[in-house]
Each structure stands twice: as C-alpha cells, then as structure tokens.
Amino acid sequence: MNLKAPRGTRDILPPASEVWNKVESKIKEIYRQRNFWEIRTPLFEETDLFVRGVGGTTDIVEKEMYTFNDKGGRSITLRPEGTAPVVRSYIEHKLHGEPQPFKFYYFGPMFRYERPQAGRYRQHYQTGVEVIGGDTPLIDAEVISLGIDILKEFSIKGWVLHLNSIGCRECRPGYIEELKSYFKKETVCKECSQRIDRNPLRVLDCKSEECADLKERSPSIIDYLCPDCSLHFSQVQELLTSREISFTIDPTLVRGLDYYSRTAFEIKTRELGAQDTIIGGGRYDGLAEILGGPNAPGMGFGMGLDRFLLMLEKNSFANYKNTPLDIFLVTIGDENVQKESWKILNMVRKAGFSADMDLLVRSPKNQMKFANRIGTRFTVIIGEDELAKGVVQLKDMEKGTQNEVNIEELISNIEANYRGG
Ligand SMILES: [Zn+2]
Ligand SMILES: [Zn+2]
C-alpha cells in the first residue's frame, strides 16, 4: 500500500517549516504592534454557520466545502474561511458587551475542495484580521493599511490596491435591479445566464471572455451609492491618501452577499506571473445579525499564506536555512558517560544554547559525521578518561580548533569563542 498525503494537501518539512515559523512570527509582531489579538476557533463548525455566513449561492458553499455527518448525526463542515467563525464566536461570547471594537487576528488551515494548482491547496493556510463593533472609515483604513504594511515589511513590491464600495441595504437593491436589466439585454456566458436572477453581482466576477467586455460597460455601483455610503467611501480614500497609499477604484470588485457592505478591497501582485490577489477583504455590517447576533458591523481581510510564501521564495527572505545548532555532544563510553553527558546537555541548554547529543549510541566516528552533517557550531567530546579529570574536549567546528576545558568553564569558554568569532 502506497500511503500519500491526500490530493491537494502537502507536508511542510524542515527547513521550509522554519521559514513558515519565521514568517508567521513576523506577521504576528505586526498585528500585536497594532493592538490586534489572536483568536483561535475550531477547525470545524456546524455546516449551517457557513451556509448562512458565507452564503448558499457562493461557489464555496455550493461546490467546495468538506461537509460530513459526525457520529452523532450532526452536519459538520471543515472551515472554508475565517470570518464566519470569528463572528460566531463574538456573538456566542457576548463580546459586544465588552469595550469596542474587537481587533482579532487568526492563523490556521482552511479547507476547500478545489482543483489543486500551484500555490492552491485543499488544505491551505490563511491569516486574517477582523475588527468587529464599529463602522467608521477609520476602521476600514486601519485594516487596509495593515495589509499593505505586511507586504512592505516583507519588501514585496509591485502590489496594486483595488478599492470599491458596494453600498448598503439602502442603495444596493436599486443598483442590482439596474444591473439585472442591463445584463438581460446583453449576451452573457452560460453560467452567468443562470446567475442573473439569483445573484447578478457575480456576473461582475466572471472570468470568461464572453463576459469580460460586458463588465467594462456595465453600470457602476459608484453612481448608485447613497449619500452616507458615498461619504464613507470618500473618507476611506482620504485616509489612505493621507498615508500615501495609492489605489485604483475598481467598480467590478464586488462581494455578492447581502451582508457585505461598503468597502471591498483586494491587494494584487504580479509576483507569481498572472495578476493574483494576495490579500482580500471588506466590510460585512450585516453578518452578525444574519448569524442571530446583535448589530455588530465588521471589517477584515484574509491573506493566503501558501501563495505568500511562494512569493517570498522569489525574494531573499526565504533563502533562509535552519539556524544551526550551537552545541552537539559526542559521547565516548558506556551508560555512565551518557548519563553524565545528559547532565552536561541540560547545563548548556539552561545557559541558553541550542544543544543536542547522540541519542542512538553510535560510534564516535559516526557521531562526528552526524555533527558535521547538521552543521553544529561546537562539538563537545565527552569520554570516560576526561570525565574522571572533570574535563571535556571543546571543538570549534568553524575554526577547526580543539581545546581541553574544565566542565565548570565550558559555558564561559563557548561564550568567549562566540564573542571572539
Ligand atoms: Zn448606501
Ligand atoms: Zn460569465
């Protein structure tokens, strides 16, 4: 039997996993500096959360969810996205009663049954933020600029911010009627002809050539915004401009569900060939109510880490090797030597060095080979005779020097060598 990771999934092995850790810690630092706090929600939720919270007419819910019945007969879904679980949690724990707004960030895998391709996996990793409990333009600008700050911190260049407002419950219905009658007069692709009545905004999302030209000429939502939405949108733009963040207004950037409102944005790059969205998000003022909660407007973004890491591979950041070990102990002798070495190992670790020893009782020659393979900075050779004298051999692998040192002076010797070299 040939057991493999399921199609669309992969293992992240060292040293790549170390690059992931480094990238994630750096993003966390950026979040924490801006007063965002981590939230960890379950990897699976009741299916109904996503049917209501993502929308029954979306590709995600129609085609891409991992849904199954558990042994208790409940319909369970592996989370396909991060926002609905965070809002569910906000409602469940009555966080609207706490000081507002809540600024969350999350990291973790998401699951979608999609065609696997470069940088797209059925278990993919995502980070994102959600600010819940406020609807000011300041919040929108804070979220959007955070996304851009992340790209800047990692020296990603050539990104473009696409910005739109998709209106609100007051002004969007009029636009949707206008859009419907426009599309009905034109020829759309087969899939879109079914979408026109159910969700005409999704035609603006269509990737087929038949619809591409149509989109350009279709009525623009911006002409239909009510005075409140219009003011909100211009304030968001002013805030971004005040931080010298450039953007393109993109009226075809829509999110087709009722609870999405006002600001929608995508940050795209060409780093991976075709223009690709690396960060996408927007405002979802109606979501908490759809999920049975109070009126709690929110704004957030999601960022695909698989593709982000692919992008970093093209930059110098990911030319990163595992930090080599400081100290490896080579033991020559019986159980007693191993026991004493085990104690020395603890001593050097407590002093703050990364350290390891031979755990397989190999020959001294093979232990030295191993130490060379893993690229340790120092090797400490511990033998029976040396232990009797209270000394060990300290080998500096970089300089190729070897000295006998007292065990009590081992740490100060290593520290001196580090300083000297
Ligand atoms: Zn409006
Ligand atoms: Zn189409």
Side-chain angles (χ1 to χ4, degrees), residues 324-356:
L325 202 62
D326 294 322
I327 301 160
F328 184 75
L329 307 187
V330 168
T331 61
I332 309 171
D334 56 12
E335 290 87 5
N336 190 45
V337 177
Q338 285 151 24
K339 194 176 73 195
E340 289 306 313
S341 302
W342 173 253
K343 280 156 69 180
I344 294 172
L345 181 65
N346 190 40
M347 177 182 86
V348 294
R349 282 176 175 166
K350 271 184 158 170
F353 294 107
S354 62
D356 206 353

Side-chain angles (χ1 to χ4, degrees), residues 34 42 48 68 81 93 168 175 207 280 329 355 378 380 391 394 412 416:
R34 287 155 181 75
D48 196 39
F68 55 93
E81 63 94 46
H93 300 285
C168 66
Y175 170 67
K207 305 280 183 284
L329 307 187
F378 298 95
V380 176
V391 298
L394 175 62
S412 55

Side-chain angles (χ1 to χ4, degrees), residues 189 192 195 203 206 208 211:
C189 77
C192 285
R195 283 175 182 152
V203 180
C206 180
S208 88
C211 300

Side-chain angles (χ1 to χ4, degrees), residues 161-205:
L161 169 60
H162 290 242
L163 195 64
N164 194 21
S165 173
I166 54 173
C168 66
R169 271 177 280 202
E170 304 300 317
C171 56
R172 195 169 36 210
Y175 170 67
I176 287 177
E177 281 316 307
E178 209 52 43
L179 201 60
K180 262 188 204 168
S181 57
Y182 166 76
F183 284 138
K184 280 186 173 158
K185 283 181 271 171
E186 305 280 341
T187 330
V188 293
C189 77
K190 209 174 136 215
E191 242 185 295
C192 285
S193 65
Q194 291 161 4
R195 283 175 182 152
I196 291 178
D197 279 313
R198 288 173 69 199
N199 196 342
L201 287 174
R202 284 197 54 204
V203 180
L204 297 176
D205 257 342

